[in-house]
Amino acid sequence: MLLHIPGLFARDEVLRIRQALEQADWADGRITAGHQSAKAKHNLQLPEGHPLALEIGAALLERLWANPLFMSAALPNKVFPPLLNCYTAGGSFDFHIDNAVRQAKGSVERVRTDLSSTLFFSDPEDYDGGELVIQDTFGTREVKLPAGDLLLYPATSLHKVRAVSRGARFASFFWTQSLVREDSQRALLFEMDGAIQQLSRDVPDHPSLIQLTGTYHNLLRRWVDV
């Protein structure tokens, strides 16, 4: 399942964040890459624990946990602390699959990477190239979202970032361990939840709503992994 979640950050917030990112001291992006990924990764990244990364990450997590669309689609159990990267001057990241398990620097907690997320802090017209290319059972998609918008997709997907030939592409990326491990099961629950919410608005007194809601929670109970 590929999901576009719009407007996690407002325009004025995006501008302040981008100004701060433009003045930040960046490091080689390979500092958080696995052995194979490091061969394909050519970008810049704020080091884990960088004050600006922590500030932006905390604001992002606050918005995620309050976002009904993210909560319904991801069914989050744990979220890896968001990281910040920059692609410029030919920077790219060739095809790869994200590591199955991540452990934040200085933490004993591990996160199974069921879902990957990219939050864009640059608008599509700010840079050339830089498309997020994702291959999965749904085919191949190329994505460039407005600044402040997030893309949620399965971490099992083969994906890459095309080389940036003009401008700079600032973004945050992170992983989510879901309460439901399987993408197909999460997609079914997401569709059912959306249908229940729509029926609740259209026919709030319909007796089938109780049965449908019960079925949703019984499926969740069957598939939940904690």
Side-chain angles (χ1 to χ4, degrees):
M1 177 175 61
L2 226 67
L3 182 66
H4 173 195
I5 301 178
L8 276 180
F9 285 89
R11 293 300 303 177
D12 59 332
E13 294 174 314
V14 167
L15 290 175
R16 289 198 301 270
I17 290 171
R18 196 160 61 225
Q19 287 172 356
L21 292 175
E22 288 169 351
Q23 299 170 15
D25 294 324
W26 295 85
D28 191 317
R30 288 174 289 187
I31 55 177
T32 58
H35 175 69
Q36 290 298 324
S37 293
K39 300 176 183 179
K41 191 175 186 182
H42 306 282
N43 66 0
L44 301 174
Q45 189 171 309
L46 289 186
E48 290 186 69
H50 190 288
L52 181 58
L54 293 176
E55 181 182 354
I56 296 172
L60 174 51
L61 290 175
E62 182 180 351
R63 284 159 174 76
L64 286 176
W65 290 102
N67 187 278
L69 196 55
F70 176 80
M71 296 300 290
S72 177
L75 294 170
N77 183 9
K78 303 176 187 177
V79 178
F80 188 88
L83 301 171
L84 280 297
N85 62 17
C86 173
Y87 290 84
T88 187
S92 65
F93 197 166
D94 208 353
F95 274 121
H96 64 285
I97 292 177
D98 294 332
N99 292 349
V101 178
R102 305 290 304 207
Q103 186 172 359
K105 186 177 180 180
S107 173
V108 298
E109 187 172 61
R110 296 178 179 179
V111 176
R112 188 184 67 239
T113 59
D114 298 322
L115 292 155
S116 297
S117 294
T118 298
L119 174 66
F120 292 79
F121 285 121
S122 298
D123 284 308
E125 60 269 21
D126 293 337
Y127 58 99
D128 292 335
E131 295 88 356
L132 176 58
V133 182
I134 304 171
Q135 292 183 356
D136 207 333
T137 54
F138 45 72
T140 300
R141 293 279 299 275
E142 298 189 8
V143 182
K144 290 178 76 170
L145 298 182
D149 289 13
L150 179 138
L151 185 75
L152 183 71
Y153 58 99
T156 53
S157 303
L158 189 67
H159 59 283
K160 72 174 182 178
V161 177
R162 292 193 188 281
V164 170
S165 58
R166 178 190 64 85
R169 176 194 188 271
F170 295 104
S172 176
F173 63 103
F174 59 93
W175 300 273
T176 300
Q177 178 174 321
S178 178
L179 291 168
V180 176
R181 184 190 297 251
E182 291 295 328
D183 181 63
S184 60
Q185 294 171 345
R186 285 194 308 271
L188 180 61
L189 289 167
F190 178 58
E191 291 175 4
M192 183 177 289
D193 187 33
I196 290 170
Q197 292 184 45
Q198 187 63 52
L199 285 171
S200 297
R201 291 188 290 269
D202 295 344
V203 283
D205 298 322
H206 199 289
S208 293
L209 274 171
I210 296 175
Q211 183 178 6
L212 284 171
T213 303
T215 300
Y216 171 89
H217 285 286
N218 284 333
L219 285 172
L220 180 59
R221 186 176 292 111
R222 175 183 290 269
W223 292 334
V224 75
D225 180 13
V226 292

